[in-house]
Coordinates of all heavy atoms in Angstrom, one line a residue:
M1 N 0.9 -1.1 0.0 CA 0.1 0.0 0.0 C 0.9 1.3 0.0 O 1.8 1.3 0.7 CB -0.8 0.0 1.3 CG -2.2 0.3 1.0 SD -3.2 0.2 2.5 CE -4.5 -0.7 2.0
S2 N 0.5 2.3 -0.7 CA 1.4 3.4 -0.9 C 0.8 4.6 0.2 O -0.3 4.4 0.7 CB 1.3 4.1 -2.2 OG -0.1 4.4 -2.5
Q3 N 1.8 5.4 0.5 CA 1.6 6.5 1.4 C 0.6 7.5 0.8 O 0.6 7.8 -0.3 CB 2.8 7.1 1.9 CG 3.7 6.4 2.7 CD 3.3 6.1 4.1 OE1 2.7 5.1 4.3 NE2 3.6 6.9 5.0
T4 N -0.3 8.2 1.7 CA -1.2 9.2 1.2 C -0.4 10.6 1.5 O 0.3 10.6 2.5 CB -2.5 9.2 1.9 OG1 -3.3 10.3 1.4 CG2 -2.3 9.2 3.3
P5 N -0.7 11.6 0.6 CA -0.1 12.8 0.9 C -0.7 13.6 2.1 O 0.0 14.6 2.5 CB -0.3 13.6 -0.5 CG -1.4 13.0 -1.0 CD -1.5 11.6 -0.6
I6 N -1.8 13.0 2.6 CA -2.4 13.8 3.7 C -1.7 13.2 4.9 O -1.6 12.0 5.3 CB -3.9 13.4 3.7 CG1 -4.6 14.0 2.7 CG2 -4.6 14.0 5.1 CD1 -6.0 13.5 2.3
V7 N -1.2 14.2 5.7 CA -0.6 13.7 7.1 C -1.6 14.1 8.2 O -2.6 14.9 8.1 CB 0.7 14.5 7.3 CG1 1.7 14.2 6.3 CG2 0.5 16.1 7.3
N8 N -1.5 13.4 9.4 CA -2.3 13.7 10.5 C -1.5 13.6 11.8 O -0.4 13.3 11.9 CB -3.5 12.7 10.4 CG -3.0 11.3 10.7 OD1 -2.7 10.9 11.9 ND2 -2.9 10.4 9.8
Q9 N -2.3 14.1 12.8 CA -1.7 14.2 14.1 C -2.5 13.2 15.1 O -2.5 13.5 16.3 CB -2.0 15.7 14.7 CG -1.3 16.8 13.9 CD 0.1 16.5 13.6 OE1 0.8 16.4 14.6 NE2 0.5 16.8 12.3
I10 N -3.1 12.2 14.5 CA -3.9 11.3 15.4 C -3.1 10.7 16.6 O -3.7 10.8 17.6 CB -4.6 10.2 14.5 CG1 -5.5 10.9 13.6 CG2 -5.4 9.3 15.4 CD1 -6.1 10.0 12.5
R11 N -2.1 10.1 16.3 CA -1.3 9.5 17.3 C -1.0 10.5 18.5 O -1.2 10.3 19.6 CB 0.0 8.8 16.8 CG 0.9 8.1 17.9 CD 1.9 7.4 17.2 NE 2.9 6.9 18.2 CZ 2.7 5.7 18.9 NH1 1.6 5.0 18.7 NH2 3.6 5.4 19.8
K12 N -0.5 11.6 18.2 CA -0.1 12.7 19.0 C -1.3 13.1 19.9 O -1.3 13.2 21.1 CB 0.5 13.9 18.3 CG 0.8 15.1 19.2 CD 1.4 16.2 18.3 CE 1.3 17.5 19.0 NZ 0.3 18.4 18.4
L13 N -2.4 13.2 19.2 CA -3.7 13.7 19.8 C -4.3 12.7 20.8 O -4.8 13.1 21.9 CB -4.7 14.2 18.8 CG -4.5 15.4 18.0 CD1 -5.3 15.5 16.7 CD2 -4.6 16.6 18.9
R14 N -4.1 11.4 20.4 CA -4.5 10.4 21.2 C -3.9 10.3 22.6 O -4.5 10.3 23.7 CB -4.4 9.0 20.7 CG -5.4 8.5 19.6 CD -5.4 7.1 19.1 NE -4.0 6.6 18.8 CZ -3.3 5.8 19.5 NH1 -3.5 5.6 20.8 NH2 -2.1 5.3 19.1
F15 N -2.6 10.7 22.5 CA -1.8 10.7 23.8 C -2.1 12.0 24.6 O -2.0 11.9 25.9 CB -0.4 10.5 23.5 CG 0.1 9.0 23.4 CD1 0.1 8.5 22.0 CD2 0.3 8.1 24.3 CE1 0.2 7.2 21.8 CE2 0.5 6.9 24.1 CZ 0.5 6.3 22.8
E16 N -2.4 13.1 23.9 CA -2.7 14.3 24.5 C -4.1 14.2 25.2 O -4.4 15.1 26.0 CB -2.7 15.5 23.5 CG -1.2 15.8 23.3 CD -1.1 16.9 22.2 OE1 -2.1 17.3 21.7 OE2 0.0 17.3 21.8
H17 N -5.0 13.3 24.7 CA -6.3 13.1 25.3 C -6.4 12.0 26.2 O -7.1 11.0 25.8 CB -7.3 13.1 24.1 CG -7.6 14.4 23.5 ND1 -6.6 15.0 22.6 CD2 -8.5 15.3 23.6 CE1 -7.1 16.2 22.2 NE2 -8.2 16.5 22.8
G18 N -5.6 11.9 27.3 CA -5.7 10.9 28.2 C -5.0 9.5 27.7 O -5.6 8.4 28.2
E19 N -4.2 9.6 26.9 CA -3.6 8.3 26.3 C -4.8 7.4 25.7 O -4.8 6.2 26.0 CB -2.8 7.6 27.2 CG -1.5 8.5 27.7 CD -0.5 7.6 28.4 OE1 -0.4 6.4 28.3 OE2 0.3 8.4 29.1
M20 N -5.5 8.0 24.9 CA -6.7 7.3 24.3 C -6.2 6.1 23.5 O -5.2 6.4 22.7 CB -7.5 8.3 23.5 CG -8.6 7.6 22.6 SD -9.3 8.6 21.5 CE -10.2 9.8 22.5
T21 N -6.7 5.0 23.6 CA -6.3 3.9 22.8 C -6.8 4.0 21.3 O -7.9 4.7 21.0 CB -6.8 2.5 23.4 OG1 -8.2 2.4 23.3 CG2 -6.2 2.4 24.8
Q22 N -6.2 3.3 20.5 CA -6.7 3.2 19.1 C -8.1 2.6 19.1 O -9.0 2.9 18.3 CB -5.8 2.3 18.2 CG -4.3 2.8 17.9 CD -3.5 2.0 17.3 OE1 -3.6 0.8 17.4 NE2 -2.5 2.6 16.6
E23 N -8.4 1.5 19.9 CA -9.6 0.9 20.0 C -10.6 1.9 20.5 O -11.8 1.9 19.9 CB -9.6 -0.3 20.9 CG -10.8 -1.2 21.0 CD -11.1 -1.8 19.6 OE1 -10.3 -2.1 18.9 OE2 -12.4 -1.9 19.4
A24 N -10.4 2.7 21.4 CA -11.3 3.7 21.9 C -11.6 4.7 20.8 O -12.9 5.1 20.7 CB -10.7 4.4 23.1
L25 N -10.6 5.2 20.1 CA -10.9 6.2 19.0 C -11.7 5.4 17.9 O -12.7 6.1 17.4 CB -9.7 6.7 18.4 CG -9.7 7.7 17.4 CD1 -10.6 8.9 17.7 CD2 -8.3 8.2 16.8
A26 N -11.4 4.2 17.6 CA -12.2 3.5 16.6 C -13.6 3.4 16.9 O -14.6 3.6 16.1 CB -11.6 2.1 16.4
K27 N -14.0 3.0 18.2 CA -15.3 2.8 18.7 C -16.1 4.2 18.7 O -17.2 4.4 18.3 CB -15.3 2.4 20.1 CG -15.0 0.8 20.2 CD -15.2 0.3 21.5 CE -15.0 -1.2 21.6 NZ -15.0 -1.9 22.9
A28 N -15.3 5.3 19.0 CA -15.9 6.7 19.2 C -16.2 7.2 17.8 O -17.1 8.0 17.5 CB -14.9 7.7 19.8
T29 N -15.5 6.6 16.7 CA -15.7 7.1 15.3 C -16.4 6.1 14.4 O -16.7 6.5 13.2 CB -14.4 7.6 14.7 OG1 -13.4 6.5 14.7 CG2 -13.8 8.8 15.4
G30 N -16.7 5.0 14.9 CA -17.5 4.0 14.2 C -16.8 3.2 13.1 O -17.2 2.8 12.1
V31 N -15.4 3.1 13.3 CA -14.5 2.4 12.4 C -13.8 1.3 13.2 O -13.9 1.2 14.4 CB -13.5 3.4 11.7 CG1 -14.2 4.3 10.8 CG2 -12.5 3.9 12.7
T32 N -13.0 0.5 12.4 CA -12.2 -0.6 13.1 C -10.9 0.0 13.7 O -10.3 1.1 13.2 CB -11.9 -1.7 12.1 OG1 -11.1 -1.3 11.1 CG2 -13.3 -2.3 11.6
R33 N -10.3 -0.7 14.6 CA -8.9 -0.4 15.0 C -7.9 -0.4 13.9 O -7.0 0.4 13.8 CB -8.6 -1.3 16.0 CG -7.1 -1.1 16.6 CD -6.8 -1.9 17.9 NE -5.3 -1.7 18.3 CZ -4.4 -2.6 17.9 NH1 -4.7 -3.7 17.4 NH2 -3.2 -2.3 18.3
Q34 N -8.1 -1.4 12.9 CA -7.2 -1.4 11.8 C -7.3 -0.1 10.9 O -6.3 0.3 10.3 CB -7.6 -2.6 11.0 CG -7.1 -4.0 11.5 CD -8.0 -4.4 12.7 OE1 -9.2 -4.0 12.9 NE2 -7.5 -5.2 13.5
T35 N -8.5 0.5 10.8 CA -8.6 1.7 10.1 C -7.8 2.8 10.8 O -7.1 3.6 10.2 CB -10.1 2.2 10.0 OG1 -10.7 1.2 9.2 CG2 -10.1 3.5 9.3
I36 N -7.8 2.9 12.1 CA -7.1 3.9 12.8 C -5.6 3.6 12.8 O -4.8 4.6 12.6 CB -7.4 3.9 14.4 CG1 -8.8 4.2 14.5 CG2 -6.5 4.8 15.1 CD1 -9.4 5.5 14.0
I37 N -5.2 2.4 12.7 CA -3.7 2.0 12.5 C -3.2 2.5 11.1 O -2.3 3.0 11.0 CB -3.5 0.4 12.7 CG1 -3.7 0.1 14.1 CG2 -2.2 0.1 12.2 CD1 -3.8 -1.4 14.3
A38 N -4.1 2.4 10.1 CA -3.7 2.6 8.7 C -3.7 4.1 8.7 O -2.8 4.7 8.0 CB -4.8 2.0 7.8
L39 N -4.6 4.9 9.2 CA -4.5 6.4 9.3 C -3.4 6.9 9.9 O -2.7 7.7 9.3 CB -5.8 6.9 10.1 CG -7.1 6.8 9.2 CD1 -8.3 7.1 10.3 CD2 -7.1 7.8 8.2
E40 N -3.0 6.4 11.0 CA -1.9 6.9 11.8 C -0.6 6.5 11.0 O 0.4 7.4 11.0 CB -1.7 6.2 13.2 CG -2.7 6.8 14.1 CD -2.5 6.2 15.5 OE1 -1.6 5.3 15.7 OE2 -3.4 6.5 16.4
A41 N -0.5 5.4 10.2 CA 0.7 5.2 9.5 C 0.7 5.8 8.1 O 1.8 5.7 7.4 CB 0.7 3.6 9.2
G42 N -0.3 6.5 7.7 CA -0.4 7.3 6.4 C -0.6 6.5 5.3 O -0.3 6.8 4.2
R43 N -1.3 5.3 5.6 CA -1.6 4.4 4.3 C -3.0 4.5 3.9 O -3.3 3.8 3.1 CB -1.4 2.9 4.9 CG 0.1 2.5 5.1 CD 0.4 1.0 5.3 NE -0.7 0.5 6.2 CZ -0.4 0.3 7.5 NH1 0.8 0.5 8.1 NH2 -1.4 -0.3 8.3
Y44 N -3.7 5.4 4.6 CA -5.1 5.6 4.3 C -5.6 7.0 4.5 O -5.2 7.6 5.5 CB -5.9 4.6 5.2 CG -7.3 4.7 5.0 CD1 -8.1 4.2 3.9 CD2 -8.1 5.3 6.1 CE1 -9.5 4.3 3.8 CE2 -9.5 5.3 6.0 CZ -10.2 4.8 4.7 OH -11.5 4.9 4.6
A45 N -6.3 7.6 3.6 CA -6.8 8.9 3.6 C -8.2 8.7 4.0 O -9.0 8.0 3.3 CB -6.7 9.6 2.3
P46 N -8.7 9.4 5.0 CA -10.1 9.2 5.5 C -11.1 9.9 4.5 O -10.8 10.8 3.9 CB -10.0 9.9 6.9 CG -9.1 11.0 6.6 CD -8.0 10.3 5.8
S47 N -12.3 9.4 4.7 CA -13.3 10.0 3.9 C -13.6 11.5 4.6 O -13.1 11.6 5.8 CB -14.7 9.3 4.0 OG -15.1 9.2 5.3
L48 N -14.2 12.3 4.0 CA -14.6 13.6 4.7 C -15.3 13.5 5.9 O -15.1 14.1 6.9 CB -15.3 14.4 3.7 CG -15.6 16.0 4.2 CD1 -14.3 16.7 4.7 CD2 -16.2 16.7 3.1
E49 N -16.4 12.5 5.9 CA -17.2 12.1 7.1 C -16.4 11.7 8.2 O -16.5 12.1 9.4 CB -18.2 11.2 6.8 CG -19.1 10.8 7.8 CD -20.2 9.9 7.6 OE1 -20.3 9.4 6.3 OE2 -20.8 9.3 8.5
L50 N -15.4 10.7 7.9 CA -14.6 10.2 9.0 C -13.6 11.2 9.5 O -13.5 11.2 10.7 CB -13.8 8.9 8.4 CG -12.8 8.3 9.4 CD1 -13.6 7.9 10.7 CD2 -12.1 7.1 8.8
A51 N -13.1 12.0 8.6 CA -12.2 13.1 9.2 C -12.9 14.0 10.1 O -12.4 14.4 11.2 CB -11.7 14.0 7.9
F52 N -14.2 14.4 9.8 CA -15.0 15.2 10.7 C -15.2 14.4 12.1 O -15.1 15.0 13.1 CB -16.3 15.6 10.1 CG -16.2 16.9 9.3 CD1 -16.1 16.9 7.9 CD2 -16.2 18.1 10.1 CE1 -15.9 18.1 7.2 CE2 -16.1 19.3 9.3 CZ -16.0 19.2 8.0
R53 N -15.6 13.1 12.0 CA -15.8 12.4 13.1 C -14.6 12.2 14.1 O -14.7 12.4 15.3 CB -16.3 10.9 12.8 CG -17.8 11.0 12.4 CD -18.3 9.6 12.3 NE -18.2 9.0 11.0 CZ -17.9 7.9 10.6 NH1 -17.8 6.9 11.4 NH2 -17.8 7.6 9.3
I54 N -13.4 12.2 13.5 CA -12.2 12.1 14.3 C -11.9 13.3 14.8 O -11.5 13.5 16.1 CB -11.0 11.5 13.4 CG1 -11.2 10.1 13.0 CG2 -9.7 11.8 14.2 CD1 -10.3 9.5 12.0
A55 N -12.0 14.4 14.1 CA -11.7 15.7 14.6 C -12.6 16.1 15.7 O -12.3 16.6 16.8 CB -11.9 16.8 13.6
R56 N -14.0 15.8 15.6 CA -14.9 16.0 16.7 C -14.6 15.3 17.9 O -14.9 15.6 19.1 CB -16.3 15.7 16.2 CG -16.8 16.9 15.2 CD -18.2 16.8 15.1 NE -18.7 18.0 14.2 CZ -19.9 18.1 13.6 NH1 -20.8 17.2 13.8 NH2 -20.1 19.2 12.9
S57 N -14.1 14.1 17.9 CA -13.8 13.3 19.0 C -12.7 13.9 19.8 O -12.7 13.7 21.1 CB -13.4 11.9 18.6 OG -12.1 11.8 17.8
F58 N -11.9 14.7 19.2 CA -10.8 15.4 19.8 C -11.3 16.9 20.2 O -10.6 17.7 20.8 CB -9.6 15.5 19.1 CG -8.9 14.1 18.9 CD1 -8.6 13.7 17.6 CD2 -8.6 13.5 20.1 CE1 -8.1 12.4 17.5 CE2 -7.9 12.1 19.9 CZ -7.7 11.6 18.6
R59 N -12.6 17.3 19.8 CA -13.1 18.6 19.9 C -12.1 19.6 19.2 O -11.8 20.8 19.7 CB -13.2 19.0 21.3 CG -14.1 18.1 22.1 CD -14.5 18.7 23.5 NE -15.2 17.7 24.3 CZ -14.7 16.9 25.2 NH1 -13.4 17.2 25.5 NH2 -15.3 15.8 25.9
L60 N -11.8 19.3 18.0 CA -11.0 20.0 17.1 C -11.4 20.3 15.7 O -12.4 19.6 15.4 CB -9.5 19.4 17.0 CG -8.7 19.3 18.3 CD1 -7.4 18.5 18.0 CD2 -8.2 20.7 18.8
R61 N -11.0 21.3 15.0 CA -11.3 21.3 13.6 C -10.6 20.2 12.8 O -9.5 19.7 13.1 CB -10.9 22.8 13.1 CG -11.5 23.9 13.9 CD -11.0 25.2 13.4 NE -9.6 25.2 13.6 CZ -8.7 26.0 12.9 NH1 -9.1 26.9 12.1 NH2 -7.4 26.0 13.1
V62 N -11.1 20.0 11.6 CA -10.5 18.9 10.7 C -9.1 19.3 10.5 O -8.1 18.5 10.4 CB -11.3 18.7 9.4 CG1 -10.6 17.9 8.4 CG2 -12.7 18.1 9.8
E63 N -8.7 20.6 10.1 CA -7.5 21.0 9.7 C -6.5 21.0 10.9 O -5.3 21.0 10.7 CB -7.6 22.5 9.0 CG -8.2 23.5 9.9 CD -9.6 23.8 9.7 OE1 -10.3 22.8 9.3 OE2 -10.0 24.9 9.7
D64 N -6.9 20.9 12.2 CA -6.1 20.7 13.3 C -5.6 19.3 13.5 O -4.6 18.9 14.1 CB -6.8 21.1 14.6 CG -7.0 22.6 14.6 OD1 -6.4 23.4 14.0 OD2 -8.1 23.0 15.2
V65 N -6.3 18.4 12.8 CA -6.1 16.9 12.7 C -5.3 16.5 11.5 O -4.2 15.8 11.6 CB -7.3 16.0 13.0 CG1 -6.9 14.6 13.0 CG2 -8.0 16.5 14.4
F66 N -5.8 16.9 10.5 CA -5.3 16.5 9.1 C -4.6 17.7 8.4 O -5.3 18.7 8.3 CB -6.4 16.0 8.2 CG -7.1 14.7 8.8 CD1 -8.1 14.8 9.7 CD2 -6.5 13.3 8.7 CE1 -8.7 13.6 10.3 CE2 -7.0 12.3 9.2 CZ -8.1 12.5 10.1
Q67 N -3.5 17.5 7.7 CA -2.9 18.6 6.9 C -2.5 18.0 5.6 O -2.2 16.9 5.4 CB -1.7 19.1 7.6 CG -2.0 19.7 8.9 CD -2.0 18.8 10.1 OE1 -1.4 17.7 10.1 NE2 -2.9 19.0 11.0
W68 N -2.4 18.8 4.5 CA -2.1 18.7 3.2 C -0.7 19.5 3.1 O -0.8 20.6 2.9 CB -3.0 19.1 2.3 CG -2.8 18.8 0.7 CD1 -1.8 19.5 0.0 CD2 -3.1 17.8 0.0 NE1 -1.8 18.9 -1.3 CE2 -2.5 17.7 -1.3 CE3 -3.9 16.6 0.2 CZ2 -2.8 17.0 -2.3 CZ3 -4.2 15.7 -0.6 CH2 -3.6 15.8 -1.9
P69 N 0.4 18.8 3.2 CA 1.6 19.5 3.3 C 1.9 20.2 1.9 O 1.6 19.7 0.8 CB 2.7 18.5 3.5 CG 2.1 17.2 3.3 CD 0.6 17.3 3.3
D70 N 2.7 21.3 2.0 CA 3.1 22.0 0.8 C 4.1 21.3 0.2 O 5.0 20.6 0.6 CB 3.7 23.4 1.2 CG 2.6 24.3 1.7 OD1 1.4 24.2 1.4 OD2 3.0 25.2 2.6
S71 N 4.1 21.2 -1.2 CA 5.0 20.4 -2.0 C 6.3 21.2 -2.1 O 6.3 22.3 -2.2 CB 4.5 20.1 -3.5 OG 3.3 19.4 -3.3

């Protein structure tokens, strides 16, 4: 699987939010733990809906969690 150009702060945010587990974030957002693993590794770009669900679980804006780096 190739890397996606979208980067994220999910791992960092999980630890900043009480050391939230991947499983807890998966349950909070309605996806599997494997999806969270793939997102954190940069192997998967979330749908817009999932990006919003993840951001809301941290009480942040989508752009605070996901970034499109400058080339």
Side-chain angles (χ1 to χ4, degrees):
M1 224 179 230
S2 63
Q3 294 286 94
T4 176
I6 297 172
V7 296
N8 68 72
Q9 306 301 315
I10 296 172
R11 181 173 170 78
K12 176 179 158 251
L13 290 167
R14 283 193 304 104
F15 283 94
E16 289 176 356
H17 286 80
E19 297 193 19
M20 177 189 290
T21 64
Q22 291 171 330
E23 184 66 30
L25 180 57
K27 285 183 180 178
T29 57
V31 297
T32 65
R33 180 173 171 259
Q34 288 74 22
T35 298
I36 301 301
I37 291 167
L39 285 164
E40 287 185 359
R43 292 190 314 263
Y44 175 70
S47 67
L48 183 57
E49 179 183 352
L50 178 55
F52 272 100
R53 282 191 268 147
I54 291 170
R56 285 194 176 166
S57 71
F58 294 122
R59 297 187 195 107
L60 295 171
R61 300 173 306 160
V62 171
E63 58 267 33
D64 294 328
V65 180
F66 299 94
Q67 296 82 38
W68 185 276
D70 294 331
S71 298

